[in-house]
Amino acid sequence: MQDRTHLVDHITGHRRMRRNRKADWTRRLVQENRLTVDDLIWPIFIVPGSGIVDPIAAMPGVNRMSIDKAVEAAREAAGLGIPALATFPNVEMELRDETGSNSLEANNLINQATAAIKKAVPNIGVITDVALDPFTSHGHDGILRDGEIVNDETVDQVARAAVMQADAGADIIAPSEMMDGRIGAIRMALDAAGHQSVGIMSYATKFASAFYGPYREAISTGGLLKGDKKTYYIDPANGTEAIRDAALDVEEGADMLMVKPGLPYLDICWRMKEAFGLPTFAYQVSGEYTQIKAAAMNGWIDGERAMLETLLSFKRAGCDGILTYFAVEVAKILGKR
């Protein structure tokens, strides 16, 4: 028999990586990570009123919705198999003040939305945030006193707000304001109120990022913000500090951990999953969403492929799921496969 060994066989030691790539069936057989509808959490924006579907200019395809329309959206999401929604309110300007006091109104916009969604679509999860930025007149996530975001008073308030959100039917509290000690305080408050089954998804590593701009437009805080959030969000340069921050949240009782933003911090996703083994999530934030949409609208990239590729990258980095404004779009694509 003629020896048909090639120089490449000698170079590679007869190991050829392309053997497993040669056909669709082999590629499917050896695929290491898969994106499924079970990985998706859909963030939605709530406004007062009824019958409102208000497009957000900076986030093509994303709308602010009144509660009745949010209920319809929840039904659609549940029908597509999306496990959970994350709700964010855009409250009236006259209800915003220095302390974000409307966060402590039991019947405020976010709690009304939770109650309505859980009543109409009980099989979908509702994740709520207790950060104060939608409720403050200055756009910060906490209480502003003499030019400082005060930690302990803010923690007291978000813990009280968390109980009210749980009372309204929230399944998971996701505190994003990055105050020290908030996870432990919220856990103690929830348990004292009999909400032992309500989970906490900690925004364990929320960075002082440039990618939040469109979100701030969505909840009308961009023009309100005085100064920046660098005294309580994490410096984008600091990976080790981010892991230390997450470790404190784990010790205080977090059930799940989140990295925000997502794509610029895939290394943090991986390090956090490896370090703690807790369910880990990434928030593909508004700026990440918008840059894909904008480039696709200009014909510069294949928007669908870029969307799916970025979402898959979170799975490869160890994430158990992703908060993404693409959730419904992705769920429809996956449903056709």
Side-chain angles (χ1 to χ4, degrees), residues 152-169:
D152 298 0
E153 191 175 345
T154 298
V155 169
D156 291 339
Q157 183 159 320
V158 299
R160 291 169 60 196
V163 172
M164 293 181 178
Q165 291 180 6
D167 288 343

Side-chain angles (χ1 to χ4, degrees), residues 44-47 87-91 96 109-110 129 134-135 218-219:
I44 62 172
F45 299 103
I46 313 294
V47 292
T87 57
F88 299 94
N90 184 336
V91 304
R96 306 187 191 199
L109 183 60
I110 191 169
D129 184 3
F135 304 100
I219 63 167

Side-chain angles (χ1 to χ4, degrees), residues 188-325:
M188 292 172 66
L190 290 172
D191 291 351
H195 289 301
Q196 284 84 356
S197 64
V198 173
I200 298 176
M201 177 188 287
S202 167
Y203 284 65
T205 56
K206 187 176 183 182
F207 291 87
S209 171
F211 286 90
Y212 301 139
Y215 169 87
R216 291 172 182 164
E217 177 182 323
I219 63 167
S220 301
T221 63
L224 300 177
L225 186 60
K226 298 176 175 66
D228 56 48
K229 303 191 178 188
K230 293 179 180 178
T231 65
Y232 49 104
Y233 287 8
I234 302 171
D235 187 330
N238 294 356
T240 299
E241 179 188 357
I243 301 305
R244 289 178 58 209
D245 218 321
L248 290 171
D249 290 354
V250 173
E251 291 175 13
E252 291 174 24
D255 300 288
M256 307 172 181
L257 302 173
M258 185 201 301
V259 177
K260 182 179 181 182
L263 202 60
Y265 300 96
L266 292 178
D267 60 317
I268 305 299
C269 296
W270 180 261
R271 289 175 67 180
M272 207 156 71
K273 185 66 174 183
E274 289 287 291
F276 308 114
L278 284 184
T280 301
F281 296 82
Y283 197 142
Q284 186 182 47
V285 299
S286 57
E288 298 175 70
Y289 170 88
T290 296
Q291 65 183 359
I292 293 172
K293 280 289 186 181
M297 289 167 65
N298 278 284
W300 297 333
I301 61 172
D302 182 324
E304 181 176 311
R305 288 186 62 195
M307 169 184 70
L308 294 172
E309 185 177 336
T310 55
L311 292 172
L312 188 60
S313 76
F314 297 122
K315 297 291 292 180
R316 194 182 65 248
C319 290
D320 298 279
I322 309 107
L323 290 84
T324 177
Y325 303 100

Side-chain angles (χ1 to χ4, degrees), residues 6 54 66 68-69 78 110 118 139 146 192 226 234 272 305:
H6 191 274
D54 179 27
S66 53
D68 56 325
K69 293 297 183 180
I110 191 169
K118 291 304 292 186
D146 301 321
K226 298 176 175 66
I234 302 171
M272 207 156 71
R305 288 186 62 195

